[in-house]
Amino acid sequence: MTTGLIIIAVIVVLMLFVVSIYNRLVGMRQTVNQGLADIDAQLRQRHDLIPNLVSTVKGYATHEKETFDAVIAARNRAEAGGGVDAGAEAGLGAALGKLFALAEAYPDLKASGNFQALQGELADVEDKLAAARRALNAAVARYNAGRESFPAVMFASALGFQPAEMPRIGESEKQIAQAPKVEF
C-alpha cells in the first residue's frame, strides 16, 4: 500500500512538473506570436501613412508622376504580401528613399508643415518597427532557450513545441530596419 502511494505521488509530481513546463513554453510562444503581430501592426501603419505622404508631395511636384507611381506600387506590393515580405519591404524602402530625394528638390515642400509632420510620423513608425523587431528577436531567443534548457528539452518536442526561427528578411534587412535617409 505504501509503495503504491509513493508511486502515485511520484507520478502526480512528475505530471505537475510537465504541466509547469508546458505552461511556461505556451507563454513564451504567445510572446513570440505577439511580437509578430506587433511587427505586422507597424507595417500596416507604415503602409497607411505612405498615401498621405505621396499626396502631400504630389501637390508640390506634379510632374514627377513616375516616382509617385513607383512608391504607390511598392506600397501595394508590400501590403499585399501579408506580413513581412523581404522583397516587397525592400522595394518600399527604396521607393521611399526616392520620394524623399524628390522632396529635397522642392524647397517649399521641405518647409511644408504637412510634409514635415508626415515625415516625422513615418520616422516614428520606422523607429517603432525597429523596436518591435528587437522585441521579437528577444522573445524568440527566450522561447528557444526555454525550450532547449534542461529539463524542458526532454518534453518540448513531445508536447509539440518546435524551435522558433529568428525572422530574417535577407540582405534587405539593413535597408528596411532604418528609416529612409533624408538630408536637408
Side-chain angles (χ1 to χ4, degrees), residues 37-120:
D38 289 347
I39 288 175
D40 187 53
Q42 294 302 322
L43 288 174
R44 288 181 192 278
Q45 187 176 4
R46 178 191 203 198
H47 297 166
D48 290 346
L49 282 172
I50 290 169
N52 294 328
L53 188 64
V54 168
S55 295
T56 301
V57 177
K58 265 186 185 181
Y60 286 88
T62 56
H63 64 282
E64 303 288 353
K65 184 174 178 2
E66 184 177 305
T67 301
F68 303 132
D69 291 344
V71 170
I72 293 299
R75 176 214 178 245
N76 291 341
R77 280 192 302 277
E79 193 171 61
V84 180
D85 178 352
E89 291 298 329
L92 180 56
L96 282 173
K98 288 178 186 174
L99 181 67
F100 285 125
L102 172 66
E104 288 181 33
Y106 294 88
D108 290 342
L109 174 60
K110 289 190 292 188
S112 164
N114 287 343
F115 178 72
Q116 289 179 349
L118 287 168
Q119 185 181 17

Side-chain angles (χ1 to χ4, degrees), residues 103-144:
E104 288 181 33
Y106 294 88
D108 290 342
L109 174 60
K110 289 190 292 188
S112 164
N114 287 343
F115 178 72
Q116 289 179 349
L118 287 168
Q119 185 181 17
E121 286 182 50
L122 188 58
D124 184 50
V125 168
E126 295 293 334
D127 290 343
K128 288 177 183 176
L129 187 55
R133 285 189 176 114
R134 286 189 301 273
L136 175 61
N137 288 342
V140 168
R142 279 191 304 274
Y143 169 77
N144 284 337

Side-chain angles (χ1 to χ4, degrees), residues 24-25 28 138-150 152-153:
R24 186 171 55 99
L25 291 175
M28 290 178 181
V140 168
R142 279 191 304 274
Y143 169 77
N144 284 337
R147 185 191 169 282
E148 295 171 7
S149 64
F150 185 81
V153 70

